Amino acid sequence: MHDLHRERMSAGETRAAGSLALVFAFRMLGMFMVLPVLATYGMELAGATPALIGLAIGAYGLTQAVLQIPFGMLSDRIGRRPVIYVGLVIFALGSLLAAQADSIWGVIAGRVLQGAGAISAAVMALLSDLTREQNRTKAMAMIGMSIGLSFAVAMVVGPLLTRAFGLPGLFLATAGLALVGLALVAFVVPRSSGLLVHRESGVARQALAPTLRNRELLRLNAGIFILHAILMSSFVALPLALVDRAGLPKEQHWWVYLTALFVSFFAMVPFIIYGEKKRQMKRVLVGAVLVLMLTELFFWAFGYGLVELVVGTVVFFTAFNLLEASLPSLVSKVSPAGGKGTAMGVYSTSQFLGAALGGILGGWMYQHGGLGGTFIGCAVLLALWVAIAGTMREPPYVTSLRMPLPEHALRDAGLGDRLLAVPGVTDAVVVAEEAAIYIKFDTQTVDRAAIEALVNPPSNSGDA
């Protein structure tokens, strides 16, 4: 048995993960709160058309996609905090610009500026600086949960805030949340002893080309692109369907989303457990995409009453949340040793591009084809994803490990080959400039302690 105390997160690590998860949550809350309300309240803005509403919904994704990786690389050079501070200020300024806008173009400009505060990669890199390798997965999971929770809260709070204070009040609240995030980074997030530039926490230039050529990763990137495209497109159509088809006043939409998100959160858990425990993630993924496609067709054919729309929304969010939770885990499994940071950077960029295109496409489809055209368009996109996901291989069920290497191990030319000879080890890469080794292994076949003992035998290891 290896030392369990070492596996527990320290008070500093817990504080770092918790506070950075909140920074992420507050920022994403501001991004997501407009989704359920812009299609209904936004039509009152000067110059608003369905196509421009769609552009306003997805506009943040354009700048976010373009700037996310460069901001992450900049944080390696000048430090994490300056990049995060500047990003949150830009986000707050975008929110203020949208709050004082009286035309749809003002809101679009505000959303574009919001997206320019692209701090995701810098926050993840700061989290890596502040946590030990063995606790990093837990810390990343806390951030993942905070994003999911912020989405759920946004779906409910967005309509309630907008009902009380209108769209300007919603955007002012978003600016306030960005400033709370700034205060958290300044006063609550612990100081790091230095930058930990490594391949699991950020984009490595040398890993970019192999990542872009990896067919399994490309399938997952296409998946998250389509998932966020249909989310944004659906939120051009769904709020309007609740008003026009079901006669539900826009002020009451919050309870539909609350019901859907509450039920879907519990409904998706058994599928995640089944996929991981039975090693059937491909089946779960393809099944969830098929369910999403059928839900869009259901909205098109039967979504004319309140009961049908609420049931459809519950099923939609169950499949959506299942995919949103599963895809990052699959990227982590499929990416080569030492390539996870780069793979996640490209994956996030694909996600934001999907959001941008989805908003634009949803608005255009609604303007030219009405609600039915939008739902059919989403179903076609999902049919394309079914074809892409159907050709994927079952992912390897492996865990990633990064271990610092002492001088003698770095000089050991045969270390990687010896590790690869161990049953259950699927990949091992020594990165000399980091004095570290990246290993991927199957925990059902070999345990972490055995790998650590092989890399750093007890007679040679220090206290680390």
Side-chain angles (χ1 to χ4, degrees), residues 150-175:
S150 70
F151 180 76
V153 171
M155 291 295 104
V156 178
V157 172
L160 291 173
L161 261 178
T162 313
R163 182 173 74 175
F165 305 107
L167 276 178
L170 179 75
F171 283 117
L172 284 174
T174 299

Side-chain angles (χ1 to χ4, degrees), residues 155-240:
M155 291 295 104
V156 178
V157 172
L160 291 173
L161 261 178
T162 313
R163 182 173 74 175
F165 305 107
L167 276 178
L170 179 75
F171 283 117
L172 284 174
T174 299
L177 287 170
L179 297 178
V180 172
L182 247 168
L184 280 169
V185 178
F187 303 114
V188 182
V189 176
R191 299 275 153 183
S192 59
S193 52
L195 297 187
L196 181 64
V197 180
H198 65 74
R199 295 184 177 199
E200 300 288 72
S201 68
V203 173
R205 280 190 184 86
Q206 56 272 55
L208 207 47
T211 299
L212 294 172
R213 285 196 301 266
N214 186 312
R215 289 189 177 185
E216 293 303 307
L217 287 174
L218 286 174
R219 285 185 179 89
L220 297 173
N221 293 334
I224 194 66
F225 178 91
I226 292 171
L227 184 65
H228 278 257
I230 64 114
L231 175 71
M232 297 301 163
S233 292
S234 296
F235 268 102
V236 172
L238 203 51
L240 294 170

Side-chain angles (χ1 to χ4, degrees), residues 141-393:
M142 286 172 72
I143 285 197
M145 283 163 59
S146 79
I147 295 171
L149 194 60
S150 70
F151 180 76
V153 171
M155 291 295 104
V156 178
V157 172
L160 291 173
L161 261 178
T162 313
R163 182 173 74 175
F165 305 107
L167 276 178
L170 179 75
F171 283 117
L172 284 174
T174 299
L177 287 170
L179 297 178
V180 172
L182 247 168
L184 280 169
V185 178
F187 303 114
V188 182
V189 176
R191 299 275 153 183
S192 59
S193 52
L195 297 187
L196 181 64
V197 180
H198 65 74
R199 295 184 177 199
E200 300 288 72
S201 68
V203 173
R205 280 190 184 86
Q206 56 272 55
L208 207 47
T211 299
L212 294 172
R213 285 196 301 266
N214 186 312
R215 289 189 177 185
E216 293 303 307
L217 287 174
L218 286 174
R219 285 185 179 89
L220 297 173
N221 293 334
I224 194 66
F225 178 91
I226 292 171
L227 184 65
H228 278 257
I230 64 114
L231 175 71
M232 297 301 163
S233 292
S234 296
F235 268 102
V236 172
L238 203 51
L240 294 170
L242 287 168
V243 173
D244 298 345
R245 288 182 172 185
L248 186 70
K250 59 190 177 187
E251 295 79 14
Q252 292 182 34
H253 288 193
W254 65 271
W255 68 259
V256 176
Y257 303 125
L258 178 62
T259 305
L261 287 156
F262 182 77
V263 175
S264 68
F265 178 77
F266 292 101
M268 73 168 183
V269 173
F271 296 103
I272 289 179
I273 293 170
Y274 166 77
E276 288 289 352
K277 294 276 187 208
K278 302 289 186 186
R279 303 198 162 191
Q280 293 287 346
M281 284 307 295
K282 178 183 174 180
R283 182 181 290 180
V284 169
L285 179 88
V286 176
V289 180
L290 266 171
V291 168
L292 265 187
M293 185 185 80
L294 293 171
T295 307
E296 295 286 355
L297 293 173
F298 175 83
F299 283 140
W300 167 67
F302 304 107
Y304 287 90
L306 186 57
V307 172
E308 290 86 349
L309 285 170
V310 172
V311 169
T313 306
V314 169
V315 177
F316 177 92
F317 276 117
T318 301
F320 174 85
N321 289 335
L322 176 57
L323 289 162
E324 184 81 351
S326 305
L327 284 166
S329 160
L330 289 168
V331 171
S332 181
K333 286 175 169 66
V334 168
S335 58
K340 187 167 78 175
T342 307
M344 287 307 297
V346 175
Y347 170 86
S348 296
T349 301
S350 306
Q351 174 181 322
F352 293 124
L353 281 174
L357 180 79
I360 296 162
L361 197 60
W364 182 85
M365 288 189 299
Y366 178 76
Q367 191 157 321
H368 294 281
L371 289 171
T374 311
F375 293 133
I376 286 287
C378 289
V380 169
L381 273 176
L382 288 160
L384 176 64
W385 188 6
V386 170
I388 293 168
T391 60
M392 74 183 271
R393 290 201 289 263

Side-chain angles (χ1 to χ4, degrees), residues 413-453:
L415 178 60
D417 290 336
R418 281 204 307 282
L419 278 166
L420 287 170
V422 174
V425 174
T426 60
D427 203 359
V429 175
V430 174
V431 180
E433 59 267 31
E434 290 180 30
I437 186 166
Y438 292 89
I439 306 159
K440 301 198 88 159
F441 63 99
D442 184 338
T443 51
Q444 285 190 9
T445 309
V446 59
D447 73 349
R448 179 188 171 124
I451 291 172
E452 288 181 343

